[in-house]
Amino acid sequence: MRLEDLGLIGNCQFAALVESSGNVVWCCLPRFDSEPVFGSLLDGSGGQFSVNPPEKIAGKQCYAENSNILQTAFETSEGVFRVTDFAPRFQRNGQMFRPTQLVRIVEPLHGTPQVSVRCEPTLGWSKLTPARQQRPHGIEYRGYSAQLHLDTDIPVECLTGKPFLLTERKHLLLTWGEPCAGPPAQVCHELHAETLRYWQRWVKHCNIPTRYQREVIRSALALKLHCFEDTGAIVAAVTTSVPESAGSGRTWDYRYCWLRDAYYVMDALRLLGHFEEREHFIQYLLKVSANAPELDLNPLYRVDGGSDLEERIMDNWAGFNGDGPVRVGNAAARHRQHDVFGELVLAMSPIFLDERFSQERSPATLDLLERLTQKAISVAGTPCAGIWEVRKQWEPQTFSSLMCWAAANRMARIESALGTGRAEGYRQAAAGLHGQITTNGWSGEINAFAGSYGGRQLDAALLQMAPLRFLPADDPRLVQTVDAIHAGLMRDGWLMRYRDDDGLGVPSVAFVICTFWLVEALVATGRSAEARGIMDRVHEVLSPLGLMAEDCDVAGRRLWGNFPQAYSHVGLIRAAFAASPHWSELL
């Protein structure tokens, strides 16, 4: 199985991955961090929901224009047919309608093709088979915490792989909860029309840059599907345990909300002109922080705000293409990653610096913002696992201190705007952290800022110094750091995170977002032409559908890591806006 052959569908309640074979290879219900109902992504016996020709040929995938509705066309000797997959999402009666429901529409396009349908869900990580109860228009699968129904106008005897002639459009609705109310054909038609209308309207309301527009639109649509609207959480990816590279053992569960990643997603959505996700996330953050009076925040939480994320290995699962282990939970939840305090301050700052969001201001949000900043100041320069979550002895991480400085710097602006009289204290704190970083983070040996205090390792995360304006754009220390990272971490045209042993060995593939950070840094230091040259190679890390994983082996033309990766799409969006000319220059 190849990540390049997978399409993403979802509705901000759950998500699924559909292979070009017509098989739903990954789907956790009823939410991102639930157990899989279909999991053949990680094990051939992990459940499947396939609609394909009997000869099992691959189809050609595309999205309906400017939408998250996936279409897979199959061309056979008897004819051509198309499978349309989506999860319903649209406004109904003034509220967002997003049922936990996967819709599959099968329609003949030419001739009389034969079709094979097989729906075999699994009872989560146990891989046990649920009991089946035939119903008038489908099947009920029993053994789950809620009802799981498949409603269809296909004969039930044809749902176990028996081929049949497709002479008219057929419909399948898999629903977690109450079964379909109404004839499947009518229900599917209405859901499809409304969902298509919703997504195309959502895209019309996006700001987009003057260049890389298709790539940005697809990234925007993919990012939206990582938002869990019930609570405001934003997941890092919809999968677990896809290895960072072949045989690496770096298989992590990313179906949770990293506080850092959520900030970057919200910032990308800000560029796109969408702000409701930040409003929802702030409520999520208020809930999480209420359970941590001293603000000893974990780097990540479940989508419901829970912190029970003990990392376990599922020995009965083979792994992606047999490359395990398969992990559930994430030990990084026990880490201390001090940069998150800075990112959370940056995430909340627009509430007090942008008059469009003045109605969101409250004593509770200001109190949390001040406490986060004070926490950032107090932990700056102390050891932590850092942004890369190293699994070895912790050191004071330069990037973590950089984000703590950003918190103090931004808070000084907020207090000044509010006229509280506390701005000067934060300005002094920011100045102190600035001096600490320039003294302890600079390495004369590598002629650049190093990843840790007193270290000499290059760290791609320090490219963020440029867009954060830690130093003036022409400061030799900033320019030298950008150049050193560019020269020292580049591999096959894309950047590594670092080239050091992180406790699990030395990474061997490019970490996709790092190259996009390089684009931003080059633009910020006045080298826009160079930045655009890098951006023009973006197709090298895109799947045919325009999706990106966490990592990429560019030389081998393979995507690796959990998929799709929100971080990678965030990077593309930010880099595209940075590298594109302004509309005023073109119109």
Side-chain angles (χ1 to χ4, degrees):
M1 189 177 299
R2 300 182 342 133
L3 298 178
E4 293 85 350
D5 298 328
L6 303 180
L8 172 70
I9 59 172
N11 64 356
C12 303
Q13 173 66 36
F14 78 101
L17 295 177
V18 185
E19 193 181 24
S20 59
S21 65
N23 188 18
V24 178
V25 299
W26 187 253
C27 181
C28 296
L29 296 178
R31 65 188 203 190
F32 298 113
D33 56 359
S34 298
E35 297 192 18
V37 173
F38 304 112
S40 56
L41 176 75
L42 299 181
D43 194 302
S45 60
Q48 63 173 318
F49 188 4
S50 60
V51 180
N52 47 32
E55 54 265 51
K56 302 297 185 291
I57 61 174
K60 184 176 181 180
Q61 291 183 311
C62 67
Y63 282 103
E65 185 176 10
N66 292 346
S67 80
N68 279 313
I69 296 177
L70 183 66
Q71 299 173 334
T72 309
F74 295 93
E75 186 172 346
T76 73
S77 57
E78 288 108 352
V80 180
F81 69 94
R82 179 171 62 202
V83 183
T84 298
D85 294 311
F86 66 97
R89 179 179 173 82
F90 52 87
Q91 288 281 344
R92 173 181 282 181
N93 299 325
Q95 295 184 328
M96 190 59 66
F97 179 70
R98 44 182 170 78
T100 311
Q101 187 174 67
L102 192 158
V103 181
R104 313 199 74 182
I105 301 172
V106 194
E107 57 184 322
L109 301 179
H110 177 71
T112 54
Q114 286 199 86
V115 175
S116 174
V117 176
R118 187 182 296 272
C119 187
E120 297 176 344
T122 188
L123 289 172
W125 299 116
S126 73
K127 289 201 293 188
L128 295 175
T129 301
R132 293 162 51 104
Q133 176 66 48
Q134 186 169 331
R135 299 173 54 252
H137 297 289
I139 299 173
E140 178 184 345
Y141 301 96
R142 295 180 173 177
Y144 297 98
S145 60
Q147 296 175 318
L148 183 66
H149 298 274
L150 179 64
D151 290 280
T152 183
D153 48 14
I154 297 173
V156 172
E157 61 269 18
C158 293
L159 298 179
T160 56
K162 178 183 177 181
F164 62 93
L165 287 177
L166 184 67
T167 58
E168 61 181 348
R169 183 179 297 178
K170 295 294 183 181
H171 310 82
L172 300 119
L173 295 90
L174 185 76
T175 306
W176 181 276
E178 292 298 319
C180 170
Q186 177 183 339
V187 172
C188 285
H189 174 76
E190 293 173 355
L191 294 177
H192 179 266
E194 291 293 336
T195 300
L196 180 62
R197 187 177 299 114
Y198 166 82
W199 285 119
Q200 292 182 340
R201 185 182 299 118
W202 189 86
V203 169
K204 282 184 178 179
H205 291 164
C206 285
N207 298 326
I208 59 173
T210 55
R211 300 182 67 174
Y212 322 109
Q213 293 182 10
R214 290 186 179 276
E215 294 87 350
V216 166
I217 289 171
R218 180 48 49 199
S219 289
L221 287 163
L223 273 191
K224 181 64 176 176
L225 295 188
H226 287 72
C227 300
F228 185 66
E229 207 161 76
D230 275 357
T231 64
I234 301 170
V235 298
V238 303
T239 59
T240 177
S241 303
V242 182
E244 292 183 10
S245 58
S248 66
R250 297 170 182 266
T251 54
W252 316 117
D253 192 348
Y254 277 9
R255 301 169 302 145
Y256 309 115
C257 181
W258 266 257
L259 301 181
R260 172 194 309 111
D261 296 32
Y263 155 66
Y264 282 103
V265 172
M266 288 186 293
D267 190 61
L269 290 168
R270 174 190 62 80
L271 289 172
L272 294 163
H274 287 284
F275 306 107
E276 62 180 14
E277 294 80 10
R278 193 199 67 254
E279 297 176 36
H280 295 155
F281 177 74
I282 296 303
Q283 296 306 310
Y284 176 81
L285 180 58
L286 287 167
K287 176 183 176 181
V288 165
S289 62
N291 295 322
E294 301 302 316
L295 283 186
D296 291 324
L297 296 176
N298 298 334
L300 65 145
Y301 292 87
R302 289 190 176 277
V303 296
D304 62 2
S307 58
D308 52 325
L309 286 165
E310 179 184 356
E311 188 172 295
R312 298 171 289 134
I313 291 178
M314 300 290 106
D315 292 324
N316 60 328
W317 285 70
F320 179 73
N321 293 328
D323 196 348
V326 170
R327 303 177 199 261
V328 178
N330 199 305
R334 300 196 302 269
H335 284 180
R336 287 292 170 259
Q337 299 173 17
H338 298 329
D339 63 291
V340 299
F341 301 106
E343 282 127 0
L344 292 178
V345 170
L346 295 179
M348 297 179 67
S349 293
I351 296 174
F352 295 95
L353 294 175
D354 190 328
E355 285 300 319
R356 291 175 296 176
F357 311 124
S358 59
Q359 73 279 4
E360 299 174 38
R361 297 170 189 168
S362 70
T365 54
L366 181 58
D367 176 69
L368 177 57
L369 197 54
E370 290 178 330
R371 290 171 56 221
L372 286 167
T373 306
Q374 292 159 11
K375 186 75 173 183
I377 294 168
S378 71
V379 299
T382 62
C384 71
I387 184 174
W388 304 127
E389 302 178 342
V390 295
R391 299 198 176 197
K392 64 177 184 178
Q393 184 175 350
W394 296 349
E395 301 173 298
Q397 301 290 324
T398 307
F399 177 78
S400 294
S401 295
L402 172 69
M403 297 309 296
C404 292
W405 164 84
N409 177 270
R410 190 62 57 88
M411 198 65 208
R413 288 176 54 193
I414 291 171
E415 299 286 11
S416 178
L418 295 176
T420 63
R422 295 188 288 268
E424 184 57 30
Y426 287 113
R427 275 194 287 268
Q428 291 179 8
L433 292 180
H434 196 282
Q436 178 192 119
I437 295 167
T438 54
T439 299
N440 300 323
W442 180 262
S443 170
E445 291 187 58
I446 62 174
N447 206 29
F449 284 100
S452 60
Y453 282 6
R456 56 185 182 184
Q457 73 278 28
L458 293 171
D459 181 355
L462 295 179
L463 292 167
Q464 296 280 282
M465 285 183 164
L468 286 171
R469 299 184 296 280
F470 178 74
L471 293 169
D474 59 353
D475 190 295
R477 293 168 296 179
L478 178 61
V479 175
Q480 289 164 6
T481 298
V482 173
D483 288 343
I485 291 171
H486 192 176
L489 297 182
M490 186 66 75
R491 179 171 180 169
D492 298 316
W494 290 80
L495 283 188
M496 312 281 287
R497 288 172 285 183
Y498 43 81
R499 290 189 182 273
D500 304 280
D501 190 330
D502 56 11
L504 294 168
V506 179
S508 61
V509 293
F511 196 80
V512 172
I513 194 175
C514 294
T515 304
F516 294 129
W517 284 343
L518 175 61
V519 170
E520 288 189 87
L522 289 171
V523 172
T525 53
R527 291 179 278 180
S528 295
E530 190 177 349
R532 289 168 189 164
I534 294 174
M535 275 299 293
D536 289 342
R537 300 201 309 268
V538 70
H539 65 277
E540 296 175 351
V541 293
L542 295 175
S543 76
L545 288 171
L547 301 175
M548 287 180 288
E550 178 185 51
D551 306 278
C552 184
D553 174 5
V554 182
R557 296 287 176 176
R558 286 295 303 273
L559 301 179
W560 289 98
N562 283 304
F563 179 87
Q565 177 77 1
Y567 232 15
S568 299
H569 288 283
V570 162
L572 186 150
I573 291 169
R574 287 174 46 135
F577 273 97
S580 295
H582 293 294
W583 283 101
S584 60
E585 298 176 45
L586 302 178
L587 298 179

